[in-house]
Amino acid sequence: MFKVWIDAGHGGKDPGAVGNGVQEKDIALKVSLGIKDRLEAEYENVQVLLSRSTDVFLELKERTSKANTAGADILVSIHCNAGGGKGGFESFRYTSASQNSIKLQNALHKAITGEVGGIDRGIKAQNLHMVRESKMPAVLTENLFVDVAADADRLKQASVINAIIDGHVQGIASYLGLKRKAGEDKPVTQERDINVPSKWAEVVWADLTDKGYFDGSRPGAPITREEMAVVVSRLLNNIKK
Ligand SMILES: [Zn+2]
């Protein structure tokens, strides 16, 4: 069972970047919960652990030590950007990252930019706590700018949040080589149309409709006792003749 650690940046008293009616901590939490839901629902053999699943404050140190103690296989820290950009997406690994961190970053970056579109600010390395102190391959994603109006507008759209979630899910699944769960193989049962006679009954239905026993409507519907009485009465009348 693979253990994926998803770290929603900021939280509680620390809103992260704020702008245009968007708080970074809220986006980070939404995306994190979405990644857990989708990854566990759609892929086999994977468990997603979260730094936080509610709006609470955590020190950076708590986040990495929890992930290290849990023995997570990878860590992805979710953030939004602000402060002097034109908008877009960028990802970070540690400045002297492992080969696996670079592989994870490449997989995530490709999948997220593919899903989200917009400006690609590049695959970057920086001395950040979350990617430095994590013992496992670790990447931090900066998902659009809350202080760029066009990006903030996008972050308010459910379809864009979904695209960010999808990109992360695809990148993680691709890096870990996760297998998709088989679709539930429900047999496809064809609902019958009660207004069309079954093939085997076509001739008889047409004949008895012609003879006036039935009015020709709803051949596939169940019959009531009173409808049956009408049919029997018509039959008896015909026999008497
Ligand atoms: Zn942040």
Side-chain angles (χ1 to χ4, degrees), residues 163-191:
I164 294 172
I165 293 168
D166 270 344
H168 283 81
V169 166
Q170 286 171 33
I172 291 165
S174 144
Y175 171 81
L176 291 175
L178 297 179
K179 209 176 137 215
R180 267 189 173 280
K181 282 184 181 167
E184 283 138 72
D185 293 326
K186 280 184 200 145
V188 181
T189 46
Q190 197 86 41
E191 280 283 328

Side-chain angles (χ1 to χ4, degrees), residues 11-239:
K13 68 182 182 188
D14 168 22
V18 177
N20 298 297
V22 178
Q23 296 196 98
E24 180 184 358
K25 68 173 183 177
D26 296 334
I27 304 292
L29 182 57
K30 250 192 242 177
V31 169
S32 298
L33 294 173
I35 294 170
K36 177 176 171 66
D37 276 356
R38 215 161 299 171
L39 207 54
E40 290 180 348
E42 293 175 10
Y43 292 90
E44 286 178 0
N45 203 34
V46 63
Q47 181 189 15
V48 177
L49 305 167
L50 303 169
S51 289
R52 64 182 182 96
S53 57
T54 55
D55 184 20
V56 292
F57 176 77
L58 289 163
E59 297 287 354
L60 293 178
K61 218 182 141 200
E62 290 178 69
R63 298 165 186 261
T64 46
S65 59
K66 274 187 187 174
N68 290 339
T69 304
D73 294 289
I74 61 170
L75 178 146
V76 185
S77 185
I78 314 292
H79 291 256
C80 294
N81 231 328
K86 289 185 177 135
F89 174 82
E90 62 191 358
S91 61
F92 291 95
R93 63 173 185 269
Y94 182 44
T95 39
S96 51
S98 65
Q99 279 308 305
N100 282 337
S101 281
I102 296 171
K103 262 178 72 181
L104 174 62
Q105 183 182 23
N106 287 337
L108 281 166
H109 197 98
K110 187 177 164 206
I112 298 164
T113 51
E115 285 296 317
V116 178
I119 301 169
D120 183 349
R121 295 171 53 86
I123 297 180
K124 300 179 176 179
Q126 203 168 302
N127 183 12
L128 302 169
H129 174 98
M130 288 307 300
V131 289
R132 183 186 63 240
E133 299 300 326
S134 300
K135 287 180 185 156
M136 66 294 300
V139 173
L140 185 147
T141 62
E142 292 280 4
N143 301 278
L144 308 183
F145 280 63
V146 300
D147 61 350
V148 172
D151 273 16
D153 280 348
R154 295 193 71 204
L155 288 169
K156 290 172 188 166
Q157 295 168 33
S159 63
V160 174
I161 297 297
N162 272 328
I164 294 172
I165 293 168
D166 270 344
H168 283 81
V169 166
Q170 286 171 33
I172 291 165
S174 144
Y175 171 81
L176 291 175
L178 297 179
K179 209 176 137 215
R180 267 189 173 280
K181 282 184 181 167
E184 283 138 72
D185 293 326
K186 280 184 200 145
V188 181
T189 46
Q190 197 86 41
E191 280 283 328
R192 84 162 285 183
D193 180 356
I194 61 156
N195 297 307
V196 178
S198 304
K199 268 269 170 270
W200 57 266
E202 254 170 20
V203 173
V204 176
W205 179 253
D207 183 35
L208 290 185
T209 298
D210 272 347
K211 288 179 176 151
Y213 289 101
F214 296 91
D215 64 7
S217 72
R218 297 178 298 122
I223 192 163
T224 63
R225 293 154 69 103
E226 54 200 8
E227 287 169 332
M228 191 67 203
V230 171
V231 173
V232 170
S233 148
R234 287 169 184 164
L235 176 67
L236 292 175
N237 283 337
N238 280 345
I239 290 169

